[in-house]
Amino acid sequence: MVRVAFVTGGTRGIGRAISARLKADGLKVAAGYSGDDANAEACAKELGVMVVKGNVGVFDDCRAAIDKVEKELGPVEVLVNNAGITRDVVFHRMTPEQWGEVIRVNMDSVYNMTRHVIEGMRERGWGRIINISSINGQKGQIGQANYSAAKAGMIGFTKALALENAKKGVTVNAIAPGYIDTEMVRAVPENVLQQIIAQIPVGRLGTGDEIADMVSYLAGEHAGYVTGSTLTMNGGQFMS
């Protein structure tokens, strides 16, 4: 049986690597995105995946996206909550807009997307929910009170949802990446980037493919005994 996966933020960076890997694993894949139509079209063509536009911070957008995917590909059985943004600023200067936008896109989206697939997963007796958190949700980061709060919230959500759905064959896990070699990280000034790498025991940035490898395992048939876990992938930079 060919399963269907939905990857939010699935056309760029880590999300694109995840979409590519799940497609290579033989799943039908839908990749969500919010704004860059040209990049999304290129992703669809190059990877052979369905792309779906919408704002994950809006409940009704998520319902429409899931409906569209399920009509075209079938029931969503693997959900990867990967979409995220940053609006970095120290908290004493943070505006309500900077706080609210990050919480909506990074945290509310996890509810918005999961709520529309969880009942179907429970009814079918099988499902995989994988939440992409962050090292900064585990240890915090200066200038990221909003981002760190949202990513820490994802970890608590993962544990609670795992407990609620374990007997229904639905696993819920989180991955907390460290610094990954993406466009966002490559945009950091070289001197700052080298300071970051110097703090990573393995001496390099991670890759999107390495995160995708872990998602591939968690999304598969052999991961039924792994649930409620937060898997750290940060080169030893933070151990919990």
Side-chain angles (χ1 to χ4, degrees), residues 43-112:
C43 180
K45 183 177 180 180
E46 292 167 15
L47 302 185
V49 302
M50 178 182 180
V51 294
V52 186
K53 187 174 184 177
N55 184 345
V56 290
V58 177
F59 187 75
D60 288 342
D61 274 22
C62 295
R63 177 167 51 198
I66 292 295
D67 287 348
K68 185 175 181 180
V69 171
E70 295 199 331
K71 285 176 183 177
E72 185 165 329
L73 302 182
V76 173
E77 295 174 294
V78 176
L79 174 64
V80 183
N81 287 308
N82 168 73
I85 61 171
T86 57
R87 297 291 183 266
D88 294 353
V89 62
V90 289
F91 184 75
H92 61 275
R93 294 176 182 162
M94 188 176 291
T95 67
E97 291 75 21
Q98 289 167 327
W99 172 267
E101 189 175 6
V102 169
I103 296 299
R104 280 193 300 275
V105 174
N106 295 19
M107 182 70 241
D108 291 351
S109 65
V110 180
Y111 168 82
N112 293 342

Side-chain angles (χ1 to χ4, degrees), residues 101-162:
E101 189 175 6
V102 169
I103 296 299
R104 280 193 300 275
V105 174
N106 295 19
M107 182 70 241
D108 291 351
S109 65
V110 180
Y111 168 82
N112 293 342
M113 290 297 299
T114 307
R115 185 63 184 84
H116 294 304
V117 301
I118 191 65
E119 291 185 63
M121 290 179 176
R122 288 170 59 88
E123 289 169 5
R124 292 185 296 272
W126 198 96
R128 300 285 186 262
I129 298 167
I130 303 159
N131 301 316
I132 308 301
S133 181
S134 168
I135 184 176
N136 293 338
Q138 296 177 300
K139 73 176 186 60
Q141 180 60 276
I142 293 170
Q144 287 195 332
N146 47 7
Y147 184 83
S148 296
K151 292 300 187 179
M154 291 176 75
I155 293 172
F157 174 87
T158 294
K159 293 176 180 179
L161 199 67

Side-chain angles (χ1 to χ4, degrees), residues 9-60:
T11 65
R12 303 177 69 92
I14 292 172
R16 183 183 172 111
I18 293 169
S19 295
R21 177 56 191 268
L22 294 180
K23 176 69 174 179
D25 287 346
L27 282 73
K28 299 177 185 177
V29 178
Y33 75 104
S34 61
D36 191 339
D37 293 324
N39 178 71
E41 290 171 10
C43 180
K45 183 177 180 180
E46 292 167 15
L47 302 185
V49 302
M50 178 182 180
V51 294
V52 186
K53 187 174 184 177
N55 184 345
V56 290
V58 177
F59 187 75
D60 288 342

Side-chain angles (χ1 to χ4, degrees), residues 179 185 188-189 191-200 205 237:
Y179 287 90
V185 172
V188 172
N191 64 319
V192 176
L193 184 59
Q194 290 307 314
Q195 292 174 18
I196 291 171
I197 293 173
Q199 298 172 17
I200 302 172
L205 300 174
Q237 187 177 4

